[in-house]
Amino acid sequence: MKNPVKDKSYSFAIEIVELVKQIRKSHEEYDLSRQMLRSGTSIAANIEEGDAAFSDKDFHYKFSIAYKEARETHFWLRLLRDTDYIKEETAEKLLIQLTEILKLLGSILKTMRSKK
């Protein structure tokens, strides 16, 4: 069965890994890119864990972490763009994808809160 937030976050994680490889190769930058790699891949990892949650509380917790990691990744993408480590077009493409993921996560979390 299709799971849009899972699929989109996994595709996004792949793009983040590829982007970090590019940054490290072209700029030999490791500190900022490491932060983005960690937060950008953590989104999908937490969604995956949340999808296998044993309780609604655990599900909500993991999806909340995924949301926070997405917000952090948003910050790193903007910072890397504004410090010329990544191109404007690359950043905008990823920011659009990330905004879609944030909207999906926000909707899921809102639904969970309304069920309580």
Side-chain angles (χ1 to χ4, degrees):
M1 186 160 94
K2 284 248 179 211
N3 183 330
V5 73
K6 215 168 155 178
D7 296 342
K8 287 178 186 283
S9 64
Y10 185 78
S11 294
F12 182 79
I14 291 170
E15 291 200 42
I16 290 296
V17 169
E18 293 301 322
L19 178 61
V20 168
K21 287 194 297 192
Q22 175 192 351
I23 292 170
R24 289 179 178 180
K25 185 177 179 181
S26 63
H27 296 287
E28 294 187 16
E29 194 295 312
Y30 298 94
D31 296 324
L32 298 174
S33 62
R34 182 183 61 231
Q35 290 291 111
M36 187 177 63
L37 178 65
R38 187 198 53 74
S39 65
T41 57
S42 180
I43 301 162
N46 278 289
I47 290 169
E48 188 74 31
E49 284 187 56
D51 202 37
F54 292 114
S55 67
D56 285 350
K57 184 177 179 182
D58 188 33
F59 178 90
H60 188 270
Y61 177 71
K62 290 298 181 181
F63 273 68
S64 294
I65 292 172
Y67 186 86
K68 289 177 184 182
E69 294 292 347
R71 294 296 316 160
E72 181 180 342
T73 303
H74 196 274
F75 168 81
W76 293 120
L77 283 169
R78 291 186 345 262
L79 183 64
L80 287 165
R81 175 197 63 202
D82 295 344
T83 54
D84 297 322
Y85 280 106
I86 59 177
K87 294 178 183 175
E88 176 86 25
E89 311 84 60
T90 302
E92 291 310 310
K93 177 184 160 213
L94 290 168
L95 288 167
I96 288 168
Q97 292 174 2
L98 190 53
T99 299
E100 290 176 22
I101 294 167
L102 280 163
K103 286 179 182 178
L104 288 167
L105 287 168
S107 177
I108 291 165
L109 290 168
K110 185 177 179 181
T111 301
M112 287 294 296
R113 279 192 295 273
S114 70
K115 288 183 176 182
K116 286 185 174 184

